[in-house]
Amino acid sequence: MTPLDRPLRLLPRVRNYDWGTSDFIPSLCGREPTGNPQAELWFGAHPDASAGVVLESGDAGSIPLDRLIAERPVEVLGSDSVLPFLTKVLSAGRPLSIQAHPSREQAARGFAAGAPGDYRDPNHKPELLYALTPFSALSGFRPPAEAAGLLRALGLDELEPHVRRLASEGATAYRPLLATLRERAGTELAARVIRAARLAAEEANPERRDALRWIERIAAFHPEDPLVIAPLILRLIQLEPGQALFTGPGVPHSYLEGSGVEVMANSDNVLRLGLTSKRVDPRELLDILVYEAAEDVNLEPEVEELSWGRRTGFTPPVDDFRLDVLEVAGSAEAPLPGDGIVRIVLALEGDVEIRNSAGAESLRPGQATLLTASAGGATAAGAGTVAVTMPNRPKGQELAP
C-alpha cells in the first residue's frame, strides 16, 4: 500500500462555465488558452469534480481524492470524517447569478426533505475569496436608507412604494422588493430600469455612478431581468489583489468580475434568485436570506514579517477552513502550518518545493499538493507564493455536526 505521509500532487478538475475567462487560468498554469471559458479549477474532494491524487510517478498513478478518503480516511483526514473545505481558482469574465447559501441547519433540513434541485448535500457553504486581480462583487444588503436614495434616483413610479417602505420600515422591506423584481422578470420593467440608470449615471457622484453603470454591464447579459437593479440594493465591493472577502450563510451576493482563490466549505448548495439561465429558487432563497444591512465583509488579514518572508492569514468565523498566504523569499524554509491536519498547498507565483521527512514535491503556479494528516510537519522552500488551506480548528478537534 502506497504511503500517504509525503507531499502528494493534486490534479485539479477544470469547470468550463460560460461566465469564465478564456485566459487567466491557462496563463496561471503556463498553458496556451484554448479560446473556451475556464471558470474554475477545483482542488478538493467534492463528488461533482473530485481532484486526482498522484500516488505513483506520472498521472496514470492517480486516484480521485474522494475515493482515497473513503478508503483511507484516518491517514488523510485524521479525526475528521470528511474533507471540510474545497479550494478553487476562480476567474469571472462576466457577472454570476444573484445567489445565497444556506446555513448548516438549513442545508441539513432541506436535504433531508428531498427538495429537488435546491439542496445537493446537507452542508453549509460559507466562502472566502482572496483576490489575485482587481475583483468586483456584490455582497450583502446596503443600509435601507442608502438603497432608497439610489432607487429614488431612477425616478421610476413603480418602484416608489418600495422606496418609501425601505425608508420607513428598514431592512424588512427588502423581501417584498425582491419578490416583486422576481415576479416582473420578462416584463418591460428591466428595460425601464436600464434606461433610467443610464440617464441617472450622467449626473451622479462617482460612488453612485459606479453602481449605476454596473446595471448596464449586467444588463448586457440579462436584459429582461429586473434584478439588474441589484447594484443599487447590494453593497458593491472592490477588492485589490491580496484582499479577501467572506460570505456567510444567507448573504445575497454575486461575483461580478475578476480572478482569485476561493475557499469554501465542501458543499455545492446554491440557491439562485436571478441573473442566470440556471434554475432559480425564489421562494426558498427569500426564506433563508439575512435581510439586515451588511457590515464590513472584507476580512482583516493577519500579517507577519518572518525570517523566511511574509505570512498573511485570513481567519473566517467558521471552523471549516482558514487560508494562509506564504510569500517565501528563498533565504530560509517556511514552516507550513497545521501539523497533524489535512492541508492543500496551491502555488501562485514562482517555484516552490514542499518538503517533509518522507519526500518533496515541486510546484509551479497553478499546481497544488496535498499534505495529509499523517504527513506531519512540512516546509516550503524556494522563492514564490503559496496559498495554504486548512481546517480552522486546533489539532484533534472534530468538525461540528
Side-chain angles (χ1 to χ4, degrees), residues 17-19 94-100 117-118 138 181-182 185-186 190 217-230 253-256 270-282 285:
Y17 305 131
D18 59 5
W19 49 261
R94 71 186 220 192
L96 279 67
S97 61
I98 300 294
Q99 59 185 256
D118 287 336
L138 301 174
L181 294 172
R182 179 65 251 167
R217 295 178 69 179
I218 296 171
F221 304 101
H222 305 285
E224 297 184 350
D225 192 336
L227 280 163
V228 295
I229 208 171
H253 63 281
S254 169
Y255 293 157
L256 298 175
V270 181
L271 301 177
R272 299 178 179 88
L273 185 64
L275 304 182
T276 181
S277 59
K278 295 182 179 180
R279 183 181 186 274
V280 295
D281 314 86
L285 184 137

Side-chain angles (χ1 to χ4, degrees), residues 54-96:
V54 178
L55 299 182
E56 308 293 342
S57 59
D59 295 357
S62 68
I63 180 175
L65 179 53
D66 58 345
R67 179 177 150 196
L68 181 65
I69 290 172
E71 293 177 357
R72 303 169 70 176
V74 175
E75 291 174 88
V76 178
L77 302 177
S79 60
D80 285 336
S81 58
V82 296
L83 182 67
F85 56 80
L86 171 60
T87 301
K88 301 179 182 180
V89 175
L90 176 148
S91 186
R94 71 186 220 192
L96 279 67

Side-chain angles (χ1 to χ4, degrees), residues 77-80 338-342 373 391-399:
L77 302 177
S79 60
D80 285 336
D339 181 8
I341 57 176
V342 63
N392 188 25
R393 289 165 280 121
K395 177 180 175 181
Q397 179 179 320
E398 294 186 2
L399 186 68

Side-chain angles (χ1 to χ4, degrees), residues 96-112:
L96 279 67
S97 61
I98 300 294
Q99 59 185 256
H101 310 298
S103 68
R104 188 177 277 137
E105 294 75 18
Q106 290 165 338
R109 186 168 59 248
F111 186 72

Side-chain angles (χ1 to χ4, degrees), residues 296-376:
D296 187 6
V297 292
N298 288 30
L299 276 179
E300 285 297 321
E302 309 147 12
V303 181
E304 291 182 292
E305 301 290 345
L306 300 160
S307 61
W308 49 262
R310 177 186 294 117
R311 182 191 77 88
T312 305
F314 297 93
T315 306
V318 294
D319 56 7
D320 307 79
F321 59 84
R322 61 165 287 136
L323 180 71
D324 276 12
V325 179
L326 310 182
E327 299 171 59
V328 186
S331 57
E333 294 187 358
L336 295 174
D339 181 8
I341 57 176
V342 63
R343 292 141 288 167
I344 289 177
V345 184
L346 169 64
L348 301 176
E349 294 179 349
D351 293 291
V352 178
E353 186 175 70
I354 309 303
R355 305 171 179 166
N356 71 356
S357 59
E361 187 73 32
S362 296
L363 298 179
R364 298 189 305 274
Q367 296 180 335
T369 189
L370 174 73
L371 290 171
T372 67
S374 59

Side-chain angles (χ1 to χ4, degrees), residues 150-229:
L150 288 167
L151 293 172
R152 185 171 284 119
L154 297 180
L156 296 177
D157 290 343
E158 56 246 86
L159 294 180
E160 189 57 30
H162 294 286
V163 171
R164 290 196 298 269
R165 291 187 67 176
L166 281 168
S168 62
E169 300 175 18
T172 58
Y174 277 123
R175 178 168 183 146
L177 170 59
L178 292 177
T180 296
L181 294 172
R182 179 65 251 167
E183 291 166 0
R184 299 289 296 277
T187 70
E188 287 296 314
L189 178 57
R192 288 196 289 274
V193 167
I194 296 163
R195 286 194 297 268
R198 189 179 301 127
L199 293 172
E202 295 175 0
E203 300 179 359
N205 62 38
E207 184 178 352
R208 286 193 173 191
R209 191 179 303 127
D210 284 347
L212 289 161
R213 286 181 172 170
W214 265 112
I215 290 177
E216 192 164 5
R217 295 178 69 179
I218 296 171
F221 304 101
H222 305 285
E224 297 184 350
D225 192 336
L227 280 163
V228 295
I229 208 171

